[in-house]
Amino acid sequence: MSLKLGDTFPNYKFQTTQGEFNFHDWLGDSWAILFSHPADYTPVCTTELGAVAKQAEDFKKLGVKLIGYSIDTVSSHEGWIKDIEHYNGLACGKFPYPIIAGSRKQAADLGMLDPDEVDKAGLPVTARCVFVLKDKKLKLSLLYPATTGRNIAELLRVVKSLQLTMEKKVATPANWQPGDKCMVIPSIKDDEAKKLFPKGFETAKLPSEKAYIRLTPDPSS
C-alpha cells in the first residue's frame, strides 16, 4: 500500500517516545512531517535527527508538527536520544518531537523498506522516507536510500513552497526560495492574472512563441 499524493495517511495507533496515540488525533488539521530512519544508534541517523531537532522552531513557525519513525523500540529510542543530544550539542531532556516505535508491517505497507540495506538478522531496514501531510493527506513524499542523509533546509523550503502554492495560484520554479519570483499557473488567463497579481507579471519570450512562462513577484512578500 505505498502512499500516493492525495491519499489519506492511515490512522495507526503508534507507540512513541511521547506516549501512545492514534496518529490522526495527534495530527489534527495541522501540517506535519513524518520521517523514517533505518535504525537507532547509527551514524547518519544521529546527524539527521539532531539536525531536525536544531531546526524544530523553524518548522513550528510554519505550523508543522514533526515525528520520527523506525522499527526500533521506545526504550531504544529513549536511550539513543541521549546520544543525539550529546553529539549535536542539544539541550538534554528537551527533545522536541516524538519518535515512533513502528512495526515492520507498517513500514512495508507504507513503502518504507530499503531492499539494499539489511540489519543483523538480514531483514531490510527502514529507508529515509519523508511524508509531508496536511489535513491528514499526503502532499509530498521523498525517498532516500539508507546511505544518503537528507538536507533539512530542503524540507523547510518545500513546506514553504507547498504552503504558498496551496494559498495562491502560483507554482514555484527550480531552486525557488521565499521572496523569489513565482510562476502563474497555466490555467489562469491573463485577465484573471492581472486581478490576482497586482504587482503584475512578465511573460517570457520563447522560440515557440507560446506564452506559458509568466513570472510574478512572490505574492506572500
Side-chain angles (χ1 to χ4, degrees):
M1 180 202 72
S2 294
L3 289 176
K4 301 183 294 295
L5 292 182
D7 285 353
T8 299
F9 197 92
N11 188 25
Y12 293 125
K13 179 176 283 187
F14 283 136
Q15 299 280 349
T16 83
T17 53
Q18 295 183 11
E20 179 180 284
F21 48 75
N22 289 323
F23 187 61
H24 286 188
D25 292 341
W26 174 83
L27 184 59
D29 295 326
S30 175
W31 286 88
I33 295 178
L34 185 151
F35 59 100
S36 62
H37 63 274
D40 295 356
Y41 299 104
T42 54
V44 176
C45 302
T46 300
T47 64
E48 283 193 326
L49 272 73
V52 172
K54 283 182 176 179
Q55 295 198 257
E57 282 300 314
D58 295 321
F59 286 104
K60 185 177 180 180
K61 289 174 184 176
L62 295 173
V64 178
K65 294 181 177 180
L66 300 167
I67 192 163
Y69 184 105
S70 83
I71 51 180
D72 300 280
T73 64
V74 168
S75 61
S76 175
H77 290 337
E78 290 172 340
W80 180 44
I81 282 172
K82 296 175 184 177
D83 285 359
I84 297 171
E85 291 171 334
H86 176 81
Y87 183 81
N88 293 281
L90 299 167
C92 295
K94 296 182 179 179
F95 204 70
Y97 57 86
I99 305 174
I100 296 164
S103 70
R104 184 170 293 279
K105 183 179 185 308
Q106 289 169 350
D109 287 347
L110 294 170
M112 287 181 170
L113 297 181
D114 183 348
D116 292 330
E117 295 291 328
V118 297
D119 60 17
K120 294 178 181 178
L123 297 172
V125 299
T126 319
R128 301 185 194 282
C129 296
V130 178
F131 296 132
V132 180
L133 308 168
K134 179 67 171 82
D135 297 327
K136 306 178 182 67
K137 296 183 183 297
L138 183 65
K139 298 300 181 182
L140 178 144
S141 65
L142 298 167
L143 179 60
Y144 297 70
T147 51
T148 300
R150 288 162 284 203
N151 185 317
I152 309 310
E154 172 62 3
L155 301 187
L156 283 164
R157 189 192 77 88
V158 296
V159 168
K160 291 173 183 176
S161 171
L162 287 169
Q163 292 182 341
L164 174 63
T165 56
M166 283 183 66
E167 181 182 349
K168 307 292 185 179
K169 293 184 177 182
V170 293
T172 56
N175 302 319
W176 175 87
Q177 295 290 339
D180 290 351
K181 289 181 180 179
C182 298
M183 293 178 146
V184 180
I185 59 175
S187 61
I188 302 298
K189 303 298 184 184
D190 281 354
D191 288 346
E192 184 181 359
K194 290 173 184 177
K195 297 175 184 177
L196 289 172
F197 307 110
K199 295 179 183 178
F201 61 89
E202 59 191 77
T203 303
K205 296 187 182 300
L206 302 169
S208 67
E209 299 185 356
K210 296 181 184 295
Y212 61 92
I213 295 180
R214 294 171 294 172
L215 297 169
T216 188
D218 184 338
S220 66
S221 299

